[in-house]
């Protein structure tokens, strides 16, 4: 079948109802293992001579549908599903490195990714550096003879700083180093790193792809060659795979990704403008704000600015916590991308594991809050934020 537009593929890609009794909704193959008709069939499937399922840690038909769908959404050759975003991050990073290698990272990453990089350094002597990646020359200077991966979040959790993906991919090509992009904050609807020359895309599918706060999952997309290799090594042997039921919930959530993202973006833009003007607010970090230092870059590589707004309250940690405790509609919770508006305090929550010195370098102050704008009426979210800001 020819490739259709994004909004069509998120609903149809990888599923053929008439091959499944006409069931409009895809079946959940809730099974651990698959029966072989003969011993020889089993042997040839293990030998890779015959196509077919073996065991659900290796692959499963419901999970495979999701993998085909995300590959199409990211315009890549092959997708892999994992039991969490961190299972995807660790399978890719461990898969692309060995003892003595070096990972060049964007100026900030999610707290557990930071923790994983530290663990890799302590246990396996795989070093890393954080780098702003503002221009080609400084990236060339930061690449060492041992650099085997460039790892980027853009926008970066939670400071919203951006990295010019096309520029970094261009430099990386000179050295033959793969560029891995964690695309969780944008989703493939807003940003497609592979189209910009990057090599691997990772998602915490827990967030916008799911959209309903009921799944922990991870996805990765890249070339058939690399993804098949990772499938047979760090995915299969570390074993952090996704369950068929979670894959089904994700297939369900993904159908509405474009309409949800449009609403998240619309709400966030209206709220960012209002939050910025409130006297209790020090500054707003939102790529859709015309005063955002990388506003031009956001316009260049993202379809829209997304649904996350970070902002600093005037005052200290106590002021930030007082504001959070005054909220009524907005829920105090980590995670993001759900229908419900969520707020969290990165310094004591998602990035609490990052030592203070590194946190400050990344720009994660004690007054910084991260708001995941939900799908409620923006007027109701604003009333809630405004009454809480008035109490600070
Ligand atoms: N990458 C990014 C950019 C993330 O924000 C997260 C989780 C992960 C990877 C890991 O995904 P998980 O294993 O949780 O599916 N971020 C979270 C956050 O900001 N709040 O709670 C979790």
């Amino acid at each position: 079948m020819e490739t259709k537009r994004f909004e069509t593929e998120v609903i149809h890609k990888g599923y053929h109802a008439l091959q499944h009794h006409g069931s409009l909704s895809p079946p959940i193959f809730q099974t651990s293992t698959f029966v072989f008709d003969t011993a020889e069939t089993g042997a040839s499937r293990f030998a890779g001579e015959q196509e077919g399922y073996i065991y659900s840690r290796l692959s499963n038909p419901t999970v495979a549908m999701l993998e085909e769908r995300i590959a199409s959404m990211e315009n890549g050759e092959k997708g892999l599903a994992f039991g969490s975003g961190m299972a995807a991050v660790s399978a890719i990073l461990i898969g692309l490195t060995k003892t003595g290698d070096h990972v060049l990272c964007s100026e900030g990453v999610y707290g557990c990714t930071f923790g994983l990089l530290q663990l890799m350094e302590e246990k396996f002597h795989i070093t890393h550096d954080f780098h702003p990646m503002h221009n080609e020359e400084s990236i060339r200077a930061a690449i060492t003879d041992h650099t085997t991966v460039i790892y980027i979040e853009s926008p970066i959790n939670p400071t919203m700083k951006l990295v010019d993906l096309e520029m970094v991919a261009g430099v990386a090509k000179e050295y033959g180093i793969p560029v891995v992009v964690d695309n969780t904050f944008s989703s493939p609807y807003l940003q497609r790193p592979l189209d910009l020359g990057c090599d691997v895309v990772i998602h915490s599918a827990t967030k916008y792809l799911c959209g309903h706060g009921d799944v922990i999952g991870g996805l990765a997309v890249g070339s058939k060659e690399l993804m098949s290799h990772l499938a047979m090594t760090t995915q299969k042997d570390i074993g952090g795979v996704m369950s068929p039921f979670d894959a089904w919930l994700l297939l369900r959530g993904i159908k509405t990704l474009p309409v949800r993202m449009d609403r998240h973006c619309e709400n966030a833009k209206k709220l960012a403008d209002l939050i910025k003007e409130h006297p209790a607010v020090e500054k707003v970090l939102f790529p859709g704000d015309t005063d955002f230092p990388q506003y031009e870059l956001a316009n260049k590589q993202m379809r829209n600015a997304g649904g996350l707004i970070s902002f600093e309250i005037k005052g200290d940690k106590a002021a930030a916590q007082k504001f959070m405790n005054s909220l009524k509609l907005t829920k105090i919770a980590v995670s993001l991308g759900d229908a419900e508006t969520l707020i969290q305090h990165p310094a004591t929550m998602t990035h609490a594991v990052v030592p203070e010195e590194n946190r400050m370098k990344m720009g994660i102050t004690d007054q910084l809050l991260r708001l995941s704008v939900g799908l409620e009426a923006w007027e109701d979210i604003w009333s809630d934020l405004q009454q809480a800001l008035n109490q600070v």
Side-chain angles (χ1 to χ4, degrees):
M1 202 167 75
E2 67 178 300
T3 305
K4 299 273 198 310
R5 288 173 180 78
F6 188 88
E7 291 80 353
T8 308
E9 296 285 44
V10 294
I11 296 171
H12 294 285
K13 185 73 183 180
Y15 183 57
H16 308 282
L18 294 177
Q19 293 171 10
H20 297 284
H21 309 285
S23 173
L24 181 67
S25 171
I28 307 171
F29 287 91
Q30 191 71 29
T31 184
S32 56
T33 197
F34 297 84
V35 177
F36 309 131
D37 57 352
T38 63
E40 288 76 10
T41 298
S44 56
R45 285 201 194 160
F46 267 86
E49 293 157 7
Q50 191 196 93
E51 294 243 330
Y53 293 97
I54 296 175
Y55 183 64
S56 283
R57 178 158 47 72
L58 279 54
S59 59
N60 170 285
T62 310
V63 178
M65 281 176 214
L66 173 65
E67 291 174 336
E68 193 175 338
R69 194 157 303 176
I70 190 68
S72 139
M73 290 162 70
E74 288 288 3
N75 202 19
E77 288 175 4
K78 187 171 166 63
L80 295 180
F82 296 87
S84 69
M86 283 318 301
V89 173
S90 56
I92 303 299
L93 277 177
I94 293 170
L96 292 173
T97 52
K98 61 178 186 328
T99 298
D101 285 349
H102 171 251
V103 180
L104 185 63
C105 270
S106 52
E107 209 177 9
V109 285
Y110 168 57
C112 292
T113 304
F114 182 92
L116 172 71
L117 288 164
Q118 276 200 318
L119 181 145
M120 287 167 60
E121 185 151 344
E122 283 158 21
K123 287 181 94 81
F124 309 123
H125 306 293
I126 297 161
T127 58
H128 60 270
D129 280 309
F130 294 103
H131 193 274
M133 303 191 183
H134 284 329
N135 58 63
E136 296 183 354
E137 272 320 302
S138 73
I139 298 167
R140 285 192 192 100
I143 290 172
T144 77
D145 291 346
H146 301 285
T147 308
T148 54
V149 187
I150 297 181
Y151 186 90
I152 298 171
E153 275 181 26
S154 184
I156 296 174
N157 184 358
T159 55
M160 310 305 292
K161 288 176 195 164
L162 308 183
V163 174
D164 186 331
L165 299 178
E166 199 169 17
M167 184 263 287
V168 177
V171 176
K173 287 244 160 12
E174 295 168 14
Y175 298 82
I177 300 171
V179 178
V180 178
V181 180
D182 183 331
N183 203 24
T184 300
F185 268 37
S186 302
S187 88
Y189 182 61
L190 299 185
Q191 174 172 281
R192 297 218 293 190
L194 301 183
D195 289 351
L196 300 173
C198 301
D199 301 280
V200 178
V201 175
I202 296 179
H203 285 281
S204 167
T206 314
K207 313 290 160 43
Y208 286 112
L209 293 172
C210 170
H212 296 76
D214 45 19
V215 171
I216 295 281
L219 292 165
V221 181
S223 71
K224 192 159 186 236
E225 190 186 350
L226 177 60
M227 291 294 127
S228 302
H229 172 69
L230 295 171
M232 293 312 291
T233 52
T234 51
Q235 188 193 35
K236 170 174 82 67
D237 296 338
I238 296 178
V241 295
M242 182 180 283
S243 79
F245 184 58
D246 285 350
W248 183 84
L249 282 170
L250 282 168
L251 284 163
R252 188 181 200 260
I254 280 172
K255 289 184 192 184
T256 56
L257 179 75
V259 282
R260 286 188 286 107
M261 288 313 291
D262 282 344
R263 180 66 168 267
H264 282 298
C265 293
E266 213 178 286
N267 277 358
K269 175 72 180 104
K270 289 200 172 99
L271 292 169
D273 289 344
L274 291 164
I275 294 168
K276 193 178 161 188
E277 297 307 323
H278 197 283
V281 173
E282 183 69 45
K283 65 174 170 190
V284 167
L285 306 171
F286 178 64
D289 175 10
T290 47
D291 292 331
F292 185 71
Q294 295 171 298
Y295 178 72
E296 296 297 321
L297 178 57
N299 276 336
K300 185 180 114 177
Q301 69 185 17
M302 297 169 74
R303 181 204 284 244
N304 206 333
L308 286 151
I309 305 169
S310 290
F311 58 99
E312 279 186 358
I313 293 277
K314 279 187 187 145
D316 52 10
K317 181 166 118 186
Q321 290 180 328
K322 174 148 198 260
F323 165 71
M324 292 171 84
N325 291 334
S326 306
L327 291 163
K328 297 189 170 85
L329 176 69
T330 304
K331 304 286 180 280
I332 303 173
V334 294
S335 204
L336 57 103
D338 293 323
E340 296 82 0
T341 296
L342 306 178
I343 195 156
Q344 66 110 0
H345 183 241
T348 59
M349 296 180 183
T350 51
H351 292 67
V353 296
V354 181
E356 193 176 351
E357 194 195 330
N358 300 64
R359 244 196 308 117
M360 290 305 159
K361 266 194 219 152
M362 289 177 184
I364 306 171
T365 63
D366 284 348
Q367 306 94 278
L368 187 74
L369 294 164
R370 190 194 71 194
L371 185 74
S372 169
V373 176
L375 302 177
E376 302 97 337
W378 67 268
E379 295 91 336
D380 291 331
I381 308 172
W382 175 239
S383 299
D384 188 35
L385 296 174
Q386 192 180 33
Q387 63 78 25
L389 283 169
N390 289 345
Q391 296 186 46
V392 176

